[in-house]
Amino acid sequence: MTVERAILVRIAMNSPLVEVLLRDIEGARARSVKSLPGERDDIFRYESLCAKLESLAFRALDEGAPWLEMPPGDRSNEFYASDQSDGLEPHVATTVADWIAHGFIGVELRLPFCAGKAVVDSPVSQPHVPAEVWKAPSGAEGTGAVTLRFRCQVEDVLKGSPGSAIRPSGVANRILTETLRQFSSPQRDRLDAPVVYRDGSQGRPFPLRSLTMRTDLAGLTGSIIRVSLLSIRHPEMDAEVDGAWLRNVDVSRSRPEGETDQRVEEITRSQLRELCASGPVILYMYQTGLGAAVMGFYRAALLQMISAPDSLTVIPMYYRKPPNARGTPWERLGTQQQPYYVGGTPWMT
Amino acid sequence: LIDKFCQHRGLRAPLGLVKVHSARSPELAALLYRPGLHPQHPPSIEWAYDTISKSSWPLVRNLIPVLPVDEQSFACVVASPANAHKPVPGEGAVVRWHMGIGKSKYQAALLDVSVESYVMSVAQELQARPVGLRRMLDEIGPAYQIDYLAQSRRPRDYVVRPVRLACQNVVVGLAAFAHDSVIDGMSVVAWQACEVPHVAAHEGNRALAALMLCDAYQSGGTMEIRFDRPARVQASGKTRVGKNIKLDVCYPGHPEMSVPASLRRYGRTRGIVLGGDDPASISPREARALFLAVTPMPKGLAGRVQRAADKGVSSPEQLCFTLLSQIWREIELDYMLAVSDRIGSILRGGAAWTHRSARQAESHVCRSALMAGMLFRCLDTRDHATSGQEVRVLEDQRLGVTWDISSEFGVITFCGLSSAKLPWQAEPVSARVEPSLTVLPRSYICSEDLSLARSLRNRGPVAIVVPFDFDLVLPLTDDILILRCPDRLSELDRSIDAALCKSRTMRA
């Protein structure tokens, strides 16, 4: 295996091309920070500009520009042009300061095909063992079996089994919501359970046993808002709801599920803060699929309830097809709407 | 009878063959070659011998025809000469004998490790075939056509989806499967594969298994594949041929209610016992072994994949999926596994963009791998697109070029080159191709790379492959070639970004 070296090459800052590049890199980085999870356009532009700067540095190296060996490790700086030499070894920092004082900058280059001492240590970890098969106890089938499987996962997390995590992928939104509701209450030895999706990405930990919730809706007051979780997905819900909580275009993107979960949580926290500022809110949440969105929403809702008790009640609404229904739901909307949705266990303090 | 027949031909009948002839399966009554029948008609064994002897590939002396495979080939059992003190290697195994075949390497391919298990598995397969075919052709296929194809809808992973595999307009495999949340694995309700003259032995099963395992991986779950899970197919509407149908069918599982006999047979030829833990399922452990077996890999790459899996760099399933879905091609993955410790991060989708140094290092490795892959395809392809003389033929155009990676230098040696001229050279330089070429794929050239290239000249011609827009400053000597890849740096980076994005979402 080849070894990777890191060097810092000195290039002149006074060239117009370098000046423009540095400015563009700063701008592109600022835009990339703001880009939505999964959006690559700004990030790709930033990386292209960095590659151009690195090309200039490689050219300078070939032309005999001074350089110095960098310590191993991954850093975030694209270049060193001011007092941003934090984390550099003292002798490197001193040299860089001298370069900057004389109108130069340092650009870090990686040389991955060198002979010598490895910069990046060979990562050795345990081999991935095949997964254990799941067998539903007592021959449960259908949603009953999926519920049991998901419950077992959550119970394993609560028991502290090694490697256990909540794995919401492939679990129906109703099962997700009801199981999480059940294990979030009562408040007792709060445990922030890791959330891992099947693509390997992680969501933020879910606070289990973090809040004592009740189920009795009697005497409940507050502004009633009926929303679907995601826009566009099920237009037949439109007759039932006041609006959609999340825009499908923001949420249903090709990206790791953990990022979607995180994005939904951020949006939900911000919207809840705004809504609940003017008084208690009773939110009827008409749910659609997308486990990552359900996880993100209920995590944010729970955190809102913890930080501001009595400010929020969420009543999940699940779609169900009536046993004797004929035709597709939207054909019968307006005449017989209610049977298509059934309320779940409320999330309320 | 078969014992006497073999003795008469100077062979010792394998024990399994005698057993098969004594316990004749009713499904195979019209197929099993045996003596004592009219020698001019099948299934007389004399007829089989006579037919093969008239072909361009007369039968090897120690093979005994057992069953037909297709209209052009026979399943034959390997027998030892009657006077041999020790059995010949592979005695009792079943091989496929083609009567007309272009490439000799495909002759006598292993069909099964023993004649008994082969005959039994064929009987099971044929018994379940009518039910399976009816499901696929009359129920699952039309239902999918009505609900998804006709409406241009994409099915969710829990929908029973039919797969039809064809080679040159001949169907070689049919299957239907779905992700099953109850077991957090895959459920298979149909599996049919067959051998046809122009396709290598077991290719139908291999390719179907590859598709099924990729689907199981993408759908997440444990990778358990069960053949006894119930499934329901409903549809109502007009099929593509204009037939009105109304379907509501429940299947208890695959017609065999166990791992299909043909798939188990393929597994045996690769040394994998399928259904060993549970006859009705391929366990995650067996699925892993099968995934590695169905993924085409040169020997060197297979070794690196195994080492990477053993080191915990990545799971074997992820590595196989990466290759089968061509996120990274064989030579690209091989190169990255050979030269860089960062391969684990690359396979997971790359370092975060905020870690520029890590991203830069990964980019260098990926660019080199990508350029090496592009060059390999140029060197290994016979493409007359620009000749202006011939109709462009896109099938079977590979020349058989092989590669060998020197992991300590990040250098690739291509062997078996035969094109008239090396690609990607600047005019008027036009070096002719030697049988081998040593290549340093680099997105930038440092003085160390030049020194390395010079030191490698004793191996034969040496070339440095660079992006099209690479600006060469260092002085070159004539004996080192510069090959400019047609893609610029930014184009390479765009392709890399797409591959990394796919890696991040491959199971999402």
Side-chain angles (χ1 to χ4, degrees), chain A residues 1-5 28-30 32-33 35 40-41 43-44 46-48 50-52 54-56 58-59 61-63 67 73-78 108-115 118-136 140-143 145-146 149 153 169-171 198-200 233 254-257 259 289-290, chain B residues 156-157 179 181-184 218-224 226 229-230 278 283-285 288 309-317 335-342 351-361 364-365 367-368 406-410 441-449 452 470-474 489-490 493-494 497 501 504-508:
Chain A
M1 197 166 281
T2 57
V3 293
E4 185 184 309
R5 278 171 61 204
R29 183 172 46 186
S32 300
V33 170
S35 59
R40 296 290 307 164
D41 289 348
I43 294 171
F44 187 75
Y46 161 79
E47 292 189 326
S48 301
C50 289
K52 277 186 188 153
E54 286 146 17
S55 297
L56 290 179
F58 267 108
R59 191 187 167 93
L61 182 70
D62 291 347
E63 287 168 347
W67 58 274
D74 290 341
R75 285 170 288 272
S76 55
N77 295 44
E78 314 83 1
E108 183 176 344
L109 293 181
R110 291 284 164 150
L111 310 174
F113 304 114
C114 296
V119 168
V120 178
D121 293 329
S122 182
V124 178
S125 56
Q126 290 296 314
H128 298 245
V129 292
E132 293 289 321
V133 298
W134 162 259
K135 275 201 173 69
E141 281 292 332
T143 50
V146 181
R149 179 163 66 80
Q153 277 177 20
S169 305
V171 180
R198 66 181 165 206
D199 58 12
R233 285 206 153 201
S254 178
R255 63 182 167 215
E257 290 182 90
E259 288 182 10
L290 204 63
Chain B
R156 299 291 297 274
D157 58 3
H179 182 75
S181 286
V182 172
I183 56 165
D184 198 19
Q218 276 188 297
S219 304
T222 62
M223 294 293 291
E224 185 189 19
R226 293 207 69 91
R229 294 286 311 152
D278 175 351
S283 68
R285 184 185 57 80
R288 172 172 290 188
D310 292 344
K311 276 176 74 181
V313 171
S314 180
S315 69
E317 290 85 359
Y335 185 78
M336 293 191 291
L337 283 169
V339 304
S340 179
D341 279 337
R342 294 196 181 267
W353 67 271
T354 45
H355 293 147
R356 181 60 206 159
S357 58
R359 285 289 288 184
Q360 188 195 156
H364 286 308
V365 175
R367 289 167 189 159
S368 297
S406 164
S407 57
E408 65 269 40
F409 298 121
R442 300 285 188 265
S443 46
Y444 299 102
I445 305 177
C446 301
S447 53
E448 286 85 359
D449 296 322
L452 175 61
F470 172 71
D471 198 3
L472 186 64
V473 176
L474 294 169
L489 198 66
S490 59
D493 285 349
R494 184 63 79 179
D497 197 52
C501 277
R504 280 194 288 274
T505 55
M506 64 169 74
R507 283 198 108 177

Side-chain angles (χ1 to χ4, degrees), chain A residues 75-96:
Chain A
R75 285 170 288 272
S76 55
N77 295 44
E78 314 83 1
F79 53 86
Y80 296 88
S82 61
D83 294 336
Q84 38 175 230
S85 46
D86 298 348
L88 290 181
E89 283 194 342
H91 78 280
V92 179
T94 312
T95 311
V96 169

Side-chain angles (χ1 to χ4, degrees), chain A residues 6-20:
Chain A
I7 60 169
L8 199 64
V9 179
R10 194 189 79 174
I11 62 171
M13 200 167 135
N14 57 3
S15 123
L17 181 57
V18 174
E19 273 180 26
V20 170

